[in-house]
Amino acid sequence: MTSEITLIANPTAGRGRGAGAAGPAAAALRGAGLDVRTVVGADAADALARAREAVADGTGALVAVGGDGMVSLALQAVAGTGTPLGVVPVGTGNDFARATGLPLRDPAAAGQAIARALKQESVREIDLGRVGDRWFGTVLASGFDSRVNDRGNRLRRPSGRLRYDLAMLVELAALRPIPYRVTLDDGSATEIEATLVAVGNGTSYGGGMRICAGAELDDGRFDVCVVGPCSRSTLLRVFPRVYRGTHIGHPVVAVHRAAAITLDADGVTGYADGEPLGSLPLTARTVPRALRLLTPR
């Protein structure tokens, strides 16, 4: 067990919960006899640079305090390096933490769990997705859901969750099937029409929507959920089932499994772990055992 670790925090996570979470998490880690260096970047680019510097300098572990955005940032620093990652989830969605069974919105408990994992030298090796040089842990979204994100990001009012509720209503009014070209593994491109295509390394996005309910973090494959063309009324009926993962049985939904996928569609943005990747086409690949996650026995 190493006694020197780096804690990186997002003070704005969870509508401000992140500001008060770093202290209890650090206290729990120090109470277990660990030396903790806390880093808060001036912005995302600065935070990532500091995280990468800590990993390059040989920190024993990187601990991310925040939501899925902070976890995504931390993944860019630790993936493929062998440096273990601890997560103190205090964001709004926390989908990575849900997929990995970590304590939600209890920074002291999460800090204690990370300390136990370090003492036990207990890590779980899990897969990550990769698009170019960007890593992701949960879901790559495209189609209706990414268009809602696009529109929500453009709106200035209202604030918070209401902005995305309004964006969803606008996109529902404009709902049309999207022509996709999809290539699984080394196969030929297939042309389909779909409402959305979600590529899951983990099971959920959007704060517990289990869009890829059968995805597993250590099987070397994505679960690819395709929601085919459907009416607004059908989408509204199916949507509530996503939180339980029971939408998978609906006739309009198909699931494929692949270690790599290329998605192409005009005018569609890809989002991974809630962060924009850019316009399609995009190719995502699974990288087995790319992350060493601190999880106590």
Side-chain angles (χ1 to χ4, degrees), residues 32-56:
L34 297 163
D35 290 335
V36 180
R37 183 167 68 95
T38 300
V39 172
V40 179
D43 53 28
D46 182 50
L48 178 55
R50 290 169 180 262
R52 283 176 166 158
E53 182 180 7
V55 171

Side-chain angles (χ1 to χ4, degrees), residues 87-101:
V87 177
V88 178
V90 293
T92 305
N94 299 317
D95 287 293
F96 183 85
R98 293 174 195 274
T100 52

